[in-house]
């Protein structure tokens, strides 16, 4: 993310002024938060109430990987049967990684963030954690996620999962904390490139020496629907409800927002962004239709 100059700060203030002069939007989501480039809250609803976050957890998963010193995005990772078995057992969204395929870390990031692949998130946690077993490595990785939350001074966030599937219910955050996590992640160019893509297509060597093509679609319908949308991540869970972490850029200014537990998450996000930008895009927004083969999250 580009550092703000004094002039840019003034333009953010100028942008926010007419929006704040207008009526604040009414959102149906139980929790909501919107930040500008300077980290100032433009809108909030129960900002500090702890809630489950479902697959928006994967934002921190990606952030931890990308903050790893000297991370090699072209490093090959062999897909383990355990990753596929986990998705089947949990009934989670999947990147449909095939056992024995050698995929890159970069591809795993796309597989984690676009189709919300729990198998891809597992592969990242298993690869970037430490220990002698899958369980030990994923536990180690989750500890890194919590360490990052502590580094960001987030007092109401805890991870017990690398993908948002939490049997103990101890995977929680708040709208304000999650917005800060997202804003931190968006500082990395690779993350920004991944989360703004509506789709990804790439190949990976198979265990038998052939090549397999992977095609993934972004579950975030705000992309291609709201002018300037550049991310970030969907999430849906029984306890969490529908969630969305979103961002949009206009005139060189990026707003980052969160809605948690909201059946009207896309409309809420558009209303909040309109409030921040001083626009009326939400009134005419038509949501992008996901291909039949796409995951839903």
């Amino acid at each position: 993310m580009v550092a703000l100059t004094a002039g840019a700060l003034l333009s953010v203030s100028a942008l926010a002024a007419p929006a704040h002069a207008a009526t604040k939007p009414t959102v149906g989501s139980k929790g909501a938060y919107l930040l500008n480039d300077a980290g100032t809250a433009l809108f909030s609803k129960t900002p500090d109430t702890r809630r489950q976050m479902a697959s928006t957890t994967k934002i921190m998963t990606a952030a931890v990987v990308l903050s790893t010193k000297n991370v090699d995005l072209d490093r090959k990772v062999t897909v383990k049967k355990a990753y596929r078995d986990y998705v089947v057992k949990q009934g989670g969204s999947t990147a449909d990684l095939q056992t024995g395929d050698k995929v890159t870390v970069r591809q795993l990031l796309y597989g984690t963030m676009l189709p919300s692949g729990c198998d891809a998130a597992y592969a990242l946690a298993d690869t970037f954690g430490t220990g002698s077993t899958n369980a030990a490595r994923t536990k180690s990785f989750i500890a890194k996620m919590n360490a990052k939350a502590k580094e960001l001074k987030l007092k109401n966030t805890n991870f017990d999962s690398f993908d948002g599937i939490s049997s103990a219910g101890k995977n929680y955050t708040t709208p304000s904390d999650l917005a800060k996590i997202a804003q931190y992640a968006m500082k990395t160019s690779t993350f920004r490139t991944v989360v703004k893509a509506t789709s990804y297509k790439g190949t990976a060597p198979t265990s038998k020496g052939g090549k397999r093509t992977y095609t993934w679609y972004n579950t975030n319908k705000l992309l291609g629907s709201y002018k300037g949308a550049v991310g970030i991540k969907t999430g849906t869970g029984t306890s969490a409800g529908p969630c969305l972490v979103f961002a949009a850029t206009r005139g060189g200014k990026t707003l980052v927002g969160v809605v948690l537990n909201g059946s009207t998450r896309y409309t809420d996000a558009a209303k909040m962004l309109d409030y921040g930008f001083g626009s009326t895009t939400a009134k005419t927004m038509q949501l992008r239709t996901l291909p039949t083969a796409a995951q839903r999250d």
Side-chain angles (χ1 to χ4, degrees):
M1 187 173 290
V2 179
L4 290 172
T5 63
L9 283 170
L10 287 173
S11 63
V12 168
S13 298
L15 175 70
H20 282 280
T23 304
K24 286 189 176 183
T26 299
V27 299
S29 300
K30 291 184 178 179
Y33 205 72
L34 184 69
L35 287 174
N36 67 12
D37 281 307
T40 301
L42 302 181
F43 178 86
S44 67
K45 178 180 179 181
T46 62
D48 302 315
T49 299
R50 293 178 178 180
R51 300 186 186 281
Q52 296 289 308
M53 59 183 132
S55 284
T56 63
T57 295
K58 292 165 182 161
I59 297 170
M60 183 62 99
T61 302
V64 168
V65 169
L66 290 169
S67 67
T68 301
K69 187 176 181 180
N70 299 322
V71 61
D72 180 4
L73 297 177
D74 295 318
R75 174 184 176 182
K76 292 284 194 354
V77 175
T78 301
V79 177
K80 297 179 182 178
K81 183 175 181 291
Y83 307 157
R84 290 182 58 82
D85 291 346
Y86 171 79
V87 169
V88 172
K89 180 181 178 181
Q90 298 296 337
S93 47
T94 178
D96 197 25
L97 299 178
Q98 298 295 306
T99 304
D101 285 6
K102 296 184 183 298
V103 294
T104 66
V105 170
R106 190 189 310 275
Q107 288 176 318
L108 287 175
L109 288 169
Y110 277 100
T112 296
M113 300 304 290
L114 272 62
S116 198
C118 296
D119 46 355
Y122 188 170
L124 288 174
D126 188 36
T127 300
F128 287 87
T130 57
S132 57
T133 64
N134 288 358
R137 288 188 291 273
T138 54
K139 182 178 180 179
S140 162
F141 186 84
I142 292 167
K144 291 182 180 183
M145 295 168 71
N146 283 312
K148 182 61 69 176
K150 186 176 180 180
E151 178 187 317
L152 295 175
K153 297 181 170 56
L154 307 179
K155 297 181 179 179
N156 291 302
T157 296
N158 184 75
F159 296 100
D160 71 354
S161 164
F162 51 77
D163 60 359
I165 298 175
S166 173
S167 58
K170 294 182 179 178
N171 199 79
Y172 58 80
T173 189
T174 66
S176 60
D177 277 8
L178 188 51
K180 291 169 187 173
I181 292 171
Q183 197 163 60
Y184 167 78
M186 289 290 280
K187 291 180 180 179
T188 305
S189 61
T190 297
F191 184 87
R192 294 196 302 273
T193 298
V194 169
V195 299
K196 75 179 181 181
T198 54
S199 65
Y200 170 86
K201 186 175 183 178
T203 60
T206 68
S207 59
K208 296 181 180 179
K211 281 189 177 182
R212 192 184 316 279
T213 299
Y214 284 100
T215 303
W216 297 313
Y217 300 98
N218 200 321
T219 58
N220 179 8
K221 294 182 182 179
L222 205 65
L223 293 170
S225 304
Y226 185 90
K227 181 182 177 183
V230 290
I232 298 176
K233 185 73 187 75
T234 57
T236 303
T238 303
S239 298
C243 304
L244 180 67
V245 179
F246 55 93
T249 299
R250 290 184 183 177
K253 304 166 186 66
T254 299
L255 304 183
V256 171
V258 171
V259 287
L260 296 179
N261 203 334
S263 59
T264 54
R265 56 183 171 175
Y266 294 111
T267 302
D268 287 351
K271 286 180 179 179
M272 290 163 63
L273 288 169
D274 274 355
Y275 180 65
F277 287 127
S279 61
T280 57
T281 306
K283 294 180 179 180
T284 56
M285 182 180 73
Q286 296 292 319
L287 283 180
R288 175 173 60 95
T289 301
L290 295 178
T292 304
Q295 293 288 298
R296 266 63 178 174
D297 184 27

